[in-house]
């Protein structure tokens, strides 16, 4: 049982970090010129830059998005174990809505893949134009279920942090790391910047890794439950 606990807590965050890093590298190694970067930065959404990176680095960009989808699945176990060990209604509620947001990420992954296929079939310019024209509708999803569930990433992290603090199991630093992890972008064809890699990927590895080896309390200094 201990081995399963370690796997559940450790693998998801590691794959999550790898996904964000590879997604970042997929854009950084695409060889965009200064003018191209300026044009992408002027767009309201990151979709054109992400699709252009895919057109130049299809294997690397696909790997980053595939790892991101895999991490979303693996993190369900991570969040469930974490919330269960914190205990209490707030933690359970936070874990539930955070897991719901991970399901929303799988929906967005499906839209991402569709956009990449359009680049292969229609060409970059036509695919990017379609993505931008349809971006809001695609991001909201059927009956706005995915976009509503995606809010659980932030709400769940907040509830887990409050629940852990009130239970005396999380201190200021782990609460900050938890909120940072929950603040990672949601939506279609989003950009994983270096800052995202740090505040989302590194924060998750440190938080859940610390929890894995540090027992079931990361309150500094140790506090009694009130």
């Amino acid at each position: 049982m201990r081995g399963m606990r370690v796997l559940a807590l450790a693998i998801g965050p590691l794959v999550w970090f790898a996904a964000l890093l590879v997604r970042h590298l997929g854009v950084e190694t695409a060889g965009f010129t200064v003018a191209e970067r300026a044009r992408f930065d002027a767009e309201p959404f990151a979709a054109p830059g992400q699709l252009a990176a895919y057109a130049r680095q299809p294997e690397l960009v696909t790997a980053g998005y595939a790892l991101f989808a895999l991490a979303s699945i693996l993190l369900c176990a991570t969040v469930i174990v974490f919330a269960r060990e914190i205990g209490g209604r707030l933690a359970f509620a936070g874990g539930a809505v955070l897991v719901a947001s991970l399901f929303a990420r799988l929906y967005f992954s499906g839209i991402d893949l569709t956009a990449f296929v359009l680049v292969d079939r229609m060409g970059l310019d036509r695919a990017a134009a379609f993505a931008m024209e349809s971006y809001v509708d695609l991001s909201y999803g059927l009956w706005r279920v995915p976009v509503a569930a995606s809010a659980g990433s932030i709400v769940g992290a907040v509830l887990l942090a409050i629940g852990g603090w009130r239970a005396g199991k999380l201190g200021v630093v782990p609460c900050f790391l938890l909120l940072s992890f929950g603040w990672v972008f949601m939506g279609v064809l989003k950009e994983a910047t270096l800052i995202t890699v740090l505040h989302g990927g590194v924060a998750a590895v440190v938080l859940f890794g610390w929890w894995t080896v540090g027992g079931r309390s990361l309150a500094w200094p140790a506090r009694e439950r009130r």
Side-chain angles (χ1 to χ4, degrees):
M1 291 295 292
R2 179 176 177 80
M4 294 298 294
R5 172 184 180 271
V6 171
L7 288 175
L9 288 170
I11 293 181
L14 288 173
V15 177
W16 177 254
F17 167 72
L20 293 174
L21 179 60
V22 175
R23 284 182 65 155
H24 174 65
L25 293 176
V27 175
E28 291 301 308
T29 61
F32 294 138
T33 64
V34 174
E36 287 174 327
R37 287 184 178 274
R39 177 163 58 87
F40 294 143
D41 290 341
E43 295 284 354
F45 302 110
Q50 295 294 298
L51 293 177
Y54 171 78
R56 296 189 183 185
Q57 297 267 45
E59 294 84 4
L60 186 59
V61 172
T62 298
Y65 277 78
L67 287 171
F68 194 77
L70 176 60
S72 298
I73 296 172
L74 296 174
L75 281 171
C76 289
T78 304
V79 172
I80 290 171
V81 172
F82 185 70
R84 181 179 179 183
E85 293 185 356
I86 287 178
R89 293 181 179 178
L90 278 177
F92 289 144
V97 294
L98 188 48
V99 167
S101 75
L102 294 171
F103 284 114
R105 292 187 187 279
L106 290 178
Y107 165 83
F108 296 133
S109 291
I111 302 300
D112 296 335
L113 175 60
T114 302
F116 294 153
V117 172
L118 290 178
V119 172
D120 295 333
R121 301 290 177 85
M122 300 169 53
L124 175 60
D125 292 339
R126 292 179 63 190
F130 174 81
M132 292 300 290
E133 291 171 1
S134 310
Y135 190 85
V136 174
D137 292 334
L138 293 173
S139 296
Y140 283 178
L142 298 170
W143 289 357
R144 305 198 176 192
V145 172
V147 73
S150 68
S153 181
I154 297 174
V155 175
V158 170
L159 292 176
L160 274 171
I162 295 174
W165 175 267
R166 292 184 62 184
K169 294 184 178 180
L170 295 180
V172 174
V173 174
C175 283
F176 173 79
L177 292 173
L178 181 57
L179 294 175
S180 184
F181 159 68
W183 208 268
V184 173
F185 59 78
M186 297 289 293
V188 174
L189 295 171
K190 294 297 185 179
E191 180 182 7
T193 63
L194 182 58
I195 294 177
T196 305
V197 176
L198 295 175
H199 87 74
V202 174
V205 171
V206 172
L207 171 65
F208 296 114
W210 217 339
W211 183 266
T212 302
V213 301
R216 301 189 177 186
S217 177
L218 294 179
W220 304 295
R223 300 180 295 106
E224 294 293 332
R225 180 173 180 177
R226 296 181 180 181

